[in-house]
Amino acid sequence: AYAKMLCSAAEETLKLSDGGDTDACQRSDDGSGKGDLYRIWEEVGKLDRMQFHQTSPGHVYSFAQSASQSISKYGTTNCLSAGSLLNETRDSLPLSGLLDFCQQIVPNNCFIERCSKGAWEEMEALYGEKPTSSVASNDFAFGKQVEKWYGVEYFVSPLDESDVELWGEGIGAEEIESIHLPEPNRYIPRSLELCEELPEEARVQRIELPVSPPNLIVNGPSGRLWWKLDERYALPKAYLTVLIRTRASENKLRSDENDQSVWEYDTETSLQSEFLKSIFADALAIDTYDAYLAGLGWSLSKTSSGFTLTCHGYSDRLPDLALKLLKALTSPTFLEDRHFTTAKDKTIRGLSSFFESRRADSLAVYYRNLLLNYKGNGVEENLEIAKAITLRDIEKHHAMIWADNDLSLEVFYTGNVSEKQARSFFSDATDVIDATRSLVAQKDNLDDSISESWTSGPLERRLPAGEDIELHFESKNPKEENGAVVVTYQSQHEGFKGKSLSSKETLERSACVRLISKIIREPCFNELRTKQQLGYIVSSFYDMSYSTNATPLTTSIDSLTVYVLSRKVEPKDVAARIDDFLLNFRSKLEDMPSTEIHDYAESLANELTKPIRKLGTEASNQFGKIRRYAPALYADNESSLEDIPFDNAAVVAATLRKLDRNIILDVYDSLIMKRESRSRILTHVYGRTFPLKEVPPPAPSKIYVSSMDKLLEKRKSLIAYEPHSNYQRTGTRLMGFMGRHRTLQYAAAATTVVGVVGVVLFRGRNDEKKQAKM
């Protein structure tokens, strides 16, 4: 129907143009589409020119390939602009070509692709399960096919006669009412000029310039506004991040032993937030499609800190998009049954197929994280909870979010944006939030006296020193032949947070862990992958994660991880070979020339201080520090927001260049070599080639876990990773520390911890920062 409508509009427009009445045709707004065609053509040309002139080339290697191919086709003059409407105007609309193209949209030139369980079952009923032909052969018949290289099965059938008849019937009155050509795109930038406040010298790209910290320009009861005018990229683009800090994103109010209301982690609440995020994305996809065409993008994510709305793209219309999304998020009108059904179906399918669809190494990371930092009880529990969630549950949860009396905004606006524009957006955003909270409070008559102020955040548990924890699980993927081993060494010493937040010794130790990870990376790969040929995936890396308590105080945690995916060697033997490599590497580190150590340190320092080349990367890095460290500094009267460690990369790089062999060996020994002081978790996942036979018997300083019940039982004995927290047999020091932090009592004793292990959270520790960012 849409193609026929477009043909009709093109025909009418062409008749008017041939009759010499082009001006009247372009001005037409009678709903026939004649004037719309010229407008749409003009918009497409404007978007093409905008994207062409404001987009930098990609990586040299890929750009060189595409450029050389384009030169061979279009010549040097048009090799870059071919396909872009750089020289087209409103009057150059190729009506004849458009009409010819539309006339080709007929059944003989089309095929229908159906991807669904219902379509597959329909074809099986029609053709049976036995393949009728293979792409590898020349014989073809309708029915089930088998792809040549990967053996993928699919069906091919002729177009249904009813579809062909429907195609030829024409447009009915009902279809006419339901379809139309696109409305004017209100997100196309009115101007691509750089901000007036930008000095002349900053109107050219200066990527090599050091990244300056953002400015806190509003700090009020409704939230805080951080702003920075871009001075490095000279692009008419901006990045806007709005964190809605709320405990209600994954916590629920409960009564404690003193009958006081306190916030505690709740798996159902966390899953409801995931549903809410998915419903919102589905509901706003069509409404924001014009913004996507105009070079704007957005996303809504859920973390332990709350909900983060991120908008990016051309700066002129960016606040319009962000406000539209914020208003839509605060209103329950997007909570429609059709979007809920889609979100629930995706979640249940993802959880149902999780174990059967994951590689062994992915499952190993899952089991490790379930012990270390997840706050829920695993996929199986989440699946049962997800099945029981209703749309009414989501509606109640949506209201509870805005009812959180401690809710606040953390906004970071950076790029081609003036301070005045940033303040204007923040004022509008807080008005939206305040109005919503007021409305919810009036409707639900909520108690304002609930619990003390508390900022939620990520969790990581401290592994006991001198104790090796071994996890042994069988892969539930029936096609997985590989086994996997993930070995993680968690530093017993708090990681570096910032020069004003950590000691010099902490800085040196963190720098050493980073450097050790850098030094062993290539020898580990060469020994285990190239020489021993254990498997096709061998990797080692430095990992940095975080744990936040109720103070609020964020603790940084350093770790070294080695993992191997193999079907040639049994997982327990792979673990032994990893152990042998690390033990033997100590002597190589001791004998390594000082110049070689210096070269490694210099290389790592250069990696850390390599200029950031994208505004989005810069904005993400800086907002990550604001999200993690700002709450503690707000709460500490002796600290300043200037203590937020925006310069960590330069500080660590300078320390790396000063490290000597002795301190590197000391850190290596405490992290890896000394069994009495190290903290290590070894995760084994067994595939079909080497199935799990039996778990080793208990041994001193070794804990073996081979079932979910034992894993969760062991997790209850682990304490949250916080400064100065430790394990003592008497428990006096631990309990004394816990007595000062009520929330930690729940984490260590009751353990209602670990997050939604849902479709989108299977990443790694704290969203799996394989390459930890400064």
Side-chain angles (χ1 to χ4, degrees), residues 453-472:
S453 178
W454 169 54
T455 301
S456 60
L459 167 74
E460 176 146 337
R461 300 174 182 83
R462 183 186 286 276
L463 297 175
E467 184 177 274
D468 280 353
I469 301 176
E470 292 194 12
L471 308 182
H472 295 266

Side-chain angles (χ1 to χ4, degrees), residues 137-148:
S137 66
N138 293 325
D139 299 328
F140 176 81
F142 287 118
K144 181 178 284 189
Q145 317 291 317
V146 180
E147 193 273 335
K148 178 179 179 181

Side-chain angles (χ1 to χ4, degrees), residues 177-458:
E177 291 294 326
S178 62
I179 62 175
H180 58 81
L181 292 174
E183 300 290 342
N185 190 335
R186 62 189 182 279
Y187 294 108
I188 295 178
R190 294 160 295 188
S191 171
L192 296 176
E193 296 296 321
L194 296 180
C195 180
E196 293 180 357
E197 297 178 8
L198 199 64
E200 194 63 34
E201 63 271 16
R203 293 180 177 273
V204 294
Q205 286 196 355
R206 303 184 297 174
I207 299 298
E208 304 303 321
L209 198 70
V211 176
S212 60
N215 305 296
L216 179 63
I217 59 176
V218 178
N219 187 2
S222 296
R224 291 151 295 276
L225 169 63
W226 300 78
W227 162 78
K228 192 179 91 167
L229 176 61
D230 167 48
E231 55 189 6
R232 301 177 70 239
Y233 305 99
L235 291 173
K237 296 184 179 182
Y239 215 91
L240 175 57
T241 306
V242 180
L243 168 60
I244 304 170
R245 286 193 185 274
T246 172
R247 300 163 293 187
S249 66
E250 62 176 27
N251 301 283
K252 191 172 184 177
L253 279 172
R254 302 184 190 278
S255 296
D256 64 5
E257 66 277 7
N258 298 318
D259 204 27
Q260 292 183 335
S261 296
V262 296
W263 290 93
E264 286 184 5
Y265 175 82
D266 180 70
T267 301
E268 183 178 10
T269 299
S270 190
L271 266 172
Q272 288 171 353
S273 291
E274 291 294 337
F275 270 62
L276 193 69
K277 182 194 70 174
S278 298
I279 292 170
F280 187 73
D282 192 55
L284 273 292
I286 295 178
D287 285 349
T288 58
Y289 182 67
D290 276 356
Y292 163 75
L293 293 178
L296 301 178
W298 70 275
S299 66
L300 179 69
S301 61
K302 171 254 167 187
T303 67
S304 54
S305 301
F307 295 90
T308 302
L309 176 64
T310 302
C311 301
H312 56 88
Y314 295 100
S315 54
D316 183 41
R317 297 290 194 178
L318 190 64
D320 298 342
L321 173 64
L323 278 175
K324 173 185 174 64
L325 292 168
L326 198 57
K327 290 176 181 178
L329 182 61
T330 57
S331 170
T333 54
F334 72 91
L335 296 172
E336 298 181 17
D337 185 67
R338 57 191 176 114
H339 302 309
F340 168 76
T341 301
T342 300
K344 186 171 184 175
D345 179 63
K346 287 181 180 179
T347 301
I348 291 176
R349 282 191 288 111
L351 291 170
S352 299
S353 63
F354 176 77
F355 291 108
E356 291 75 16
S357 62
R358 295 302 192 274
R359 271 184 354 198
D361 54 335
S362 178
L363 291 175
V365 171
Y366 161 72
Y367 288 118
R368 180 201 66 179
N369 291 350
L370 191 57
L371 181 69
L372 273 183
N373 49 49
Y374 283 167
K375 295 180 183 176
N377 294 331
V379 167
E380 295 92 341
E381 180 185 271
N382 290 338
L383 178 58
E384 294 307 311
I385 293 174
K387 289 179 178 178
I389 289 177
T390 65
L391 179 58
R392 180 56 184 154
D393 294 330
I394 305 301
E395 292 171 344
K396 291 179 179 179
H397 178 57
H398 180 266
M400 191 63 193
I401 290 170
W402 310 113
D404 179 6
N405 63 338
D406 211 34
L407 181 146
S408 65
L409 292 185
E410 197 88 60
V411 178
F412 181 32
Y413 205 166
T414 183
N416 186 49
V417 55
S418 68
E419 180 177 345
K420 180 179 178 181
Q421 291 169 325
R423 287 180 179 273
S424 175
F425 170 79
F426 184 76
S427 176
D428 291 340
T430 53
D431 285 346
V432 171
I433 298 299
D434 290 344
T436 302
R437 295 180 63 192
S438 176
L439 182 62
V440 171
Q442 291 174 11
K443 283 184 176 181
D444 296 337
N445 194 24
L446 293 163
D447 183 7
D448 250 355
S449 63
I450 50 175
S451 70
E452 72 282 2
S453 178
W454 169 54
T455 301
S456 60

Side-chain angles (χ1 to χ4, degrees), residues 92-111:
S92 64
L93 173 63
L95 282 170
S96 298
L98 175 63
L99 179 59
D100 180 65
F101 176 82
C102 294
Q103 290 173 340
Q104 304 304 314
I105 304 178
V106 294
N108 291 340
N109 288 334
C110 299
F111 65 87

Side-chain angles (χ1 to χ4, degrees), residues 422-646:
R423 287 180 179 273
S424 175
F425 170 79
F426 184 76
S427 176
D428 291 340
T430 53
D431 285 346
V432 171
I433 298 299
D434 290 344
T436 302
R437 295 180 63 192
S438 176
L439 182 62
V440 171
Q442 291 174 11
K443 283 184 176 181
D444 296 337
N445 194 24
L446 293 163
D447 183 7
D448 250 355
S449 63
I450 50 175
S451 70
E452 72 282 2
S453 178
W454 169 54
T455 301
S456 60
L459 167 74
E460 176 146 337
R461 300 174 182 83
R462 183 186 286 276
L463 297 175
E467 184 177 274
D468 280 353
I469 301 176
E470 292 194 12
L471 308 182
H472 295 266
F473 287 90
E474 188 133 29
S475 172
K476 297 179 182 179
N477 183 345
K479 297 182 180 180
E480 178 61 275
E481 297 182 354
N482 296 290
V485 175
V486 175
V487 183
T488 298
Y489 293 86
Q490 184 192 73
S491 175
Q492 280 290 310
H493 301 271
E494 179 186 357
F496 176 69
K497 296 191 294 186
K499 61 185 179 183
S500 299
L501 305 175
S502 302
S503 66
K504 179 182 177 182
E505 292 75 16
T506 299
L507 169 59
E508 289 179 341
R509 292 192 66 89
S510 279
C512 283
V513 177
R514 288 174 177 272
L515 183 56
I516 289 167
S517 303
K518 170 76 173 179
I519 293 174
I520 72 169
R521 185 180 305 154
E522 187 174 342
C524 178
F525 182 87
N526 290 340
E527 175 65 26
L528 302 181
R529 171 68 175 86
T530 306
K531 185 177 179 180
Q532 298 189 29
Q533 297 186 349
L534 292 186
Y536 70 95
I537 293 183
V538 174
S539 179
S540 63
F541 53 88
Y542 166 78
D543 199 4
M544 179 170 60
S545 51
Y546 303 92
S547 189
T548 300
N549 68 17
T551 307
L553 177 67
T554 295
T555 304
S556 176
I557 306 157
D558 298 318
S559 298
L560 168 66
T561 296
V562 180
Y563 78 89
V564 175
L565 182 71
S566 173
R567 64 177 176 180
K568 293 186 176 182
V569 181
E570 192 172 356
K572 66 178 182 178
D573 294 331
V574 171
R577 297 198 192 187
I578 293 174
D579 209 23
D580 289 343
F581 166 78
L582 293 173
L583 294 176
N584 293 331
F585 191 77
R586 207 274 186 190
S587 60
K588 296 181 180 179
L589 187 60
E590 188 174 3
D591 297 335
M592 185 175 291
S594 298
T595 53
E596 188 174 351
I597 294 177
H598 177 269
D599 289 343
Y600 276 114
E602 186 66 27
S603 174
L604 180 55
N606 290 336
E607 287 179 18
L608 291 175
T609 55
K610 184 179 180 181
I612 297 174
R613 298 188 173 276
K614 292 186 178 181
L615 176 63
T617 304
E618 179 183 314
S620 178
N621 288 352
Q622 292 191 324
F623 188 75
K625 293 178 173 63
I626 293 171
R627 183 183 67 247
R628 284 190 290 271
Y629 299 116
L633 298 177
Y634 297 145
D636 187 354
N637 294 328
E638 297 179 2
S639 298
S640 167
L641 290 170
E642 294 178 359
D643 293 333
I644 293 181
F646 293 112

